[in-house]
């Protein structure tokens, strides 16, 4: 690590360190912790089984059990708890007791991640995706295919992946045309996507950016979409590179000190986003969502959103999860009774998804979490990070001064829990892909080692 100089190499080395540390834990300190989680899960399962007047058989593997044996037992116990929670929902047990037990099951699932992160450091199959990876030559062919014979043929000078982002693959490429340098960004579907719903689908995201392009909002402007291009293992689209640099990453915070004005500009950008007329997205909503979602209230929008998430959960395979079961029930039971019209919600609006050029925000990036709902969803999501840099009241006042809506604290709590739903579903599927050997991309190990417990805790903190 001391020899590495580029940020990409340093990021990769940090991931390798996390993985090797995790493997050493599993040989030393993790089995005892996992046994504790199993013991607590068994006790919880017995309590729920007693409420349902059924049985639950405890299995004790003994103190010498390996992490692999304990992990298998833990997985079976998670399945059991999930099934017991489902039965509890259909029982005649008092609603308050049901909700309480579901929350305890959610907290039990979270406990593994938080305890694993706190463990002291020990002292002492390759997947093959369908299709071929996007290459310099294949991208070059696609760009030349867009050009007329009069424009001539270009050759790419640079084609390299960009770090960051877990939902899509992103590349930077450059070429010269008549002596002028052109820079493009490629946004591509992952061969094994972790989310296949809403704007996380590449064609959906591309269409949303097309709708935003009809406004003056600073979002990326797509140039061309490539579907099934010459056997590439995922669709992609290209867009002109915006000027500026990303000042931070989600897990690693700020790379550099930003002046207060940048954060106030962020507040202004958020207010502008929430004021874009919904008619702008009529065609988009009709094609990719429910046409009614932009014609009703905030409450109507979340009812439609949650119904779509329920269908998604039924259609896609996920790891069993008492936490996800609890979160869906809590969200469905706590939809804000908000009669205002919805707004376009970015869903991941934060300093890590902007570019800053000469002290000003040049573009808002990464729209894969976008949808229609309450402005409080974006506000709740950004509040913890903003509060580390400037006073939240100052940020909010600037947001309101530029046309943003006055937030409701109850809707703020719902918004944060709802934001955690998408992240938690993606994290669950990412872990499933790794366990099945469907994905060996190093960055996805950071989902379980970084994102999963964070969003689980955020949802539990806000769902009261």
């Amino acid at each position: 690590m001391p020899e590495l100089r580029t940020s990409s190499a340093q990021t990769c080395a940090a991931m390798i360190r996390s993985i090797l540390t995790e493997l050493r834990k599993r040989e030393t300190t993790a089995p005892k912790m996992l046994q504790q989680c199993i013991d607590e899960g068994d006790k919880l399962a017995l309590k729920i089984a007693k409420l349902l007047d059924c049985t639950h058989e405890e299995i004790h593997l003994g103190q010498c059990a390996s992490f692999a044996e304990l992990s298998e037992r833990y997985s079976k116990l998670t399945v059991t708890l999930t099934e017991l929670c489902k039965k509890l929902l259909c029982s005649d047990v008092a609603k308050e007791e049901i909700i309480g037990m579901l929350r305890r099951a959610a907290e039990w699932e979270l406990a593994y991640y938080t305890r694993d992160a706190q463990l002291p450091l020990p002292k002492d199959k390759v997947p093959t995706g369908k299709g071929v990876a996007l290459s310099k030559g294949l991208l070059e062919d696609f760009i030349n295919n867009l050009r007329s014979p009069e424009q001539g043929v270009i050759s790419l000078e640079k084609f390299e992946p960009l770090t960051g982002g877990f939902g899509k693959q992103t590349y930077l490429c450059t070429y010269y045309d008549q002596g002028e340098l052109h820079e493009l960004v490629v946004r591509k579907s992952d061969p094994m996507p972790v989310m296949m719903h809403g704007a996380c689908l590449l064609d959906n995201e591309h269409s949303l950016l097309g709708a935003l392009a009809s406004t003056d909002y600073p979002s990326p402007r797509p140039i061309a979409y490539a579907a099934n291009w010459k056997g590439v293992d995922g669709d992609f689209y290209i867009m002109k590179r915006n000027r500026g640099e990303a000042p931070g990453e989600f897990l690693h915070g700020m790379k550099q000190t930003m002046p207060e004005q940048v954060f106030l500009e962020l507040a202004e950008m958020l207010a502008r986003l929430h004021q874009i007329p919904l008619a702008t997205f009529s065609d988009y909503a009709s094609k990719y969502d429910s046409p009614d979602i932009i014609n009703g209230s905030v409450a109507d929008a979340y009812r439609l959103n949650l119904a779509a998430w329920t269908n998604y959960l039924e259609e896609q395979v996920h790891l069993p999860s008492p936490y996800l079961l609890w979160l869906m029930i809590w969200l469905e039971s706590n939809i804000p009774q908000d009669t205002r019209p919805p707004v376009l919600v970015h869903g991941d609006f934060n300093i890590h998804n902007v570019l800053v050029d000469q002290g000003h925000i040049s573009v808002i990036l990464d729209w894969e979490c976008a949808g229609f709902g309450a402005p409080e969803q974006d506000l709740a999501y950004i509040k913890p990070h903003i509060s580390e840099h400037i006073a939240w009241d100052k940020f909010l006042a600037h947001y309101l001064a530029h046309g943003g809506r006055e937030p409701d604290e109850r809707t703020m709590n719902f918004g944060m829990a709802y934001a955690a739903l998408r992240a938690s579903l993606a994290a669950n599927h990412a872990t499933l892909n790794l366990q099945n050997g469907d994905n060996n991309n190093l960055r996805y190990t950071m989902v379980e080692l970084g994102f999963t417990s964070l969003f689980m805790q955020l949802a539990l903190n806000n769902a009261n």
Side-chain angles (χ1 to χ4, degrees):
M1 290 181 72
E3 302 301 320
L4 301 177
R5 293 292 177 263
T6 69
S7 60
S8 296
Q10 290 167 357
T11 298
C12 189
M15 290 182 184
I16 293 172
R17 168 182 273 179
S18 296
I19 295 162
L20 294 177
T21 300
E22 182 70 15
L23 291 173
R24 287 292 293 127
K25 285 181 184 178
R26 294 181 179 193
E27 294 176 347
T28 53
T29 55
K32 184 177 180 181
M33 176 274 293
L34 190 53
Q35 182 64 65
Q36 181 184 356
C37 290
I38 291 170
D39 292 344
E40 292 171 358
D42 271 328
K43 290 177 182 177
L44 180 58
L46 285 169
K47 287 185 179 180
I48 298 176
K50 187 175 181 180
L51 285 174
L52 295 170
D53 196 23
C54 61
T55 59
H56 167 67
E57 182 181 350
E58 294 181 85
I59 300 177
H60 297 286
L61 297 177
Q63 296 301 313
C64 296
S66 67
F67 185 88
E69 293 170 322
L70 290 166
S71 182
E72 183 178 357
R73 169 62 187 139
Y74 178 85
S75 296
K76 291 178 180 178
L77 181 57
T78 305
V79 173
T80 299
L81 271 170
T82 304
E83 293 303 316
L84 285 171
C85 287
K86 288 179 180 178
K87 291 179 182 178
L88 198 58
L89 285 170
C90 302
S91 72
D92 56 2
V93 176
K95 183 177 179 180
E96 294 77 12
E97 197 160 9
I98 292 175
I99 296 300
M101 282 296 180
L102 287 177
R103 184 179 177 92
R104 286 184 62 184
E107 291 171 340
W108 172 79
E109 187 175 351
L110 169 62
Y112 168 79
Y113 297 100
T114 54
R115 289 171 180 171
D116 181 71
Q118 294 165 2
L119 285 176
L121 297 179
K123 295 181 179 179
D124 11 309
K125 159 183 180 172
V126 180
T128 55
K130 296 180 179 178
V132 296
L134 182 62
S135 65
K136 184 178 181 180
L138 287 168
L139 180 60
E140 203 171 75
D141 289 345
F142 177 71
I143 295 172
N144 282 319
N145 187 62
L146 300 173
R147 296 166 63 85
S148 66
E150 295 76 22
Q151 290 176 303
V153 175
I154 62 97
S155 296
L156 293 181
E157 296 288 323
K158 179 188 292 184
F159 173 72
E160 60 185 30
L162 297 175
T163 57
F166 290 86
K168 305 284 190 305
Q169 296 176 355
T170 310
Y171 301 87
L172 171 67
C173 69
T174 64
Y175 65 90
Y176 284 94
D177 186 16
Q178 297 181 352
E180 181 181 354
L181 178 66
H182 293 260
E183 295 182 303
L184 297 177
V185 171
V186 183
R187 186 87 160 152
K188 178 183 170 294
S189 292
D190 197 276
M192 291 300 300
V194 298
M195 179 63 69
M196 292 160 283
H197 181 72
C200 284
L201 295 167
L202 194 74
D203 61 334
N204 185 315
E205 179 187 74
H206 177 263
S207 183
L208 176 62
L209 290 177
L212 282 167
S214 67
T215 73
D216 63 353
Y217 196 78
S219 55
R221 289 342 193 212
I223 297 172
Y225 190 91
N228 302 314
W229 179 255
K230 294 189 174 183
V232 171
D233 58 8
D235 290 359
F236 61 91
Y237 64 86
I238 59 174
M239 51 192 166
K240 184 178 179 181
R241 184 189 188 187
N242 293 92
R243 295 179 61 86
E245 295 184 0
E249 297 177 10
F250 184 78
L251 279 180
H252 304 296
M254 298 287 289
K255 295 178 182 175
Q256 53 189 287
T257 301
M258 284 286 115
E260 184 179 88
Q261 179 57 36
V262 171
F263 293 99
L264 295 179
E265 218 171 271
L266 200 61
E268 183 178 339
M269 294 290 185
L270 189 57
R272 283 178 58 191
L273 173 64
H274 293 163
Q275 293 176 79
I276 297 176
L278 290 176
T280 306
F281 309 105
S282 296
D283 292 342
Y284 169 79
S286 296
K287 183 177 181 181
Y288 291 100
D289 218 313
S290 165
D292 297 332
I293 202 164
I294 61 173
N295 298 320
S297 66
V298 165
D300 295 331
Y302 280 118
R303 274 191 284 271
L304 289 168
N305 286 333
L306 288 170
W309 282 118
T310 298
N311 290 335
Y312 176 73
L313 271 166
E314 292 174 353
E315 293 168 358
Q316 300 292 330
V317 177
H318 289 82
L319 290 169
S321 170
Y323 162 78
L324 282 175
L325 181 62
W326 162 81
L327 182 55
M328 285 296 295
I329 295 299
W330 188 91
L331 289 168
E332 290 168 354
S333 303
N334 289 274
I335 294 174
Q337 299 308 303
D338 191 336
T339 58
R340 302 171 301 171
V343 301
L344 179 65
V345 176
H346 182 278
D348 195 11
F349 197 89
N350 214 324
I351 197 69
H352 65 277
N353 276 335
V354 306
L355 295 183
V356 175
D357 181 40
Q358 297 182 354
H360 295 283
I361 295 174
S362 59
V363 67
I364 307 296
L365 303 172
D366 288 355
W367 293 80
E368 64 186 2
C369 296
F372 299 99
E376 284 89 345
Q377 186 180 325
D378 278 335
L379 287 167
Y381 185 83
I382 199 174
K383 182 179 178 179
H385 189 80
I386 288 296
S387 300
E388 294 179 2
H389 301 281
I390 68 170
W392 172 249
D393 289 347
K394 191 167 188 177
F395 179 92
L396 184 59
H398 202 73
Y399 167 82
L400 296 173
H402 286 83
R405 294 182 187 175
E406 183 73 44
D408 179 273
E409 193 60 37
R410 291 167 298 178
T411 307
M412 289 278 283
N413 290 340
F414 177 88
M416 187 66 254
Y418 182 82
L421 173 63
R422 182 190 302 266
S424 298
L425 282 166
N428 181 292
H429 201 79
T431 300
L432 176 63
N433 285 345
L434 289 170
Q435 289 185 3
N436 288 342
D438 294 329
N439 196 336
N440 72 339
N441 192 309
L442 198 61
R443 61 198 174 115
Y444 285 106
T445 61
M446 299 310 297
V447 171
E448 182 166 334
L449 299 178
F451 287 111
T452 298
S453 61
L454 172 65
F455 280 102
M456 289 174 72
Q457 190 66 69
L458 282 171
L460 285 161
N461 287 348
N462 285 271
N464 296 314

